[in-house]
Amino acid sequence: MNGEADGEVDYKRKYKNLKRKLKFLVYEQECFQEELRRAQRKLLKVSRDKSFLLDRILQYENVDDDSSGM
């Protein structure tokens, strides 16, 4: 009977360890998702800034082309 009792306790310990690991993995996943969202927002801002700056450069190039033709 001692062998069966030890087996049950062992399974309980394994269950608790796996449950603790699962909670940690879920927490870690949430952290990574938040970090990914932050990086995506930053990338979007940089992309918008790049587009804005390229548009401004093109405007100045067009103005320079028009004024040099005169």
Side-chain angles (χ1 to χ4, degrees), residues 4-57:
E4 290 178 15
D6 287 344
E8 289 176 22
V9 172
D10 191 41
Y11 284 123
K12 282 184 180 180
R13 186 169 43 81
K14 286 182 179 183
Y15 174 76
K16 285 182 179 182
N17 284 338
L18 288 173
K19 192 173 178 181
R20 190 178 329 116
K21 287 179 183 178
L22 176 64
K23 283 183 180 181
F24 175 76
L25 289 173
V26 169
Y27 171 76
E28 192 176 42
Q29 180 187 17
E30 289 174 1
C31 290
F32 286 140
Q33 285 177 339
E34 180 58 34
E35 190 175 337
L36 175 63
R37 282 190 290 270
R38 205 174 8 253
Q40 286 172 331
R41 284 192 299 268
K42 189 174 181 180
L43 176 61
L44 181 62
K45 183 182 184 307
V46 169
S47 296
R48 287 178 179 166
D49 289 349
K50 181 187 81 167
S51 295
F52 172 77
L53 292 172
L54 285 173
D55 287 345
R56 293 295 293 257
I57 289 172

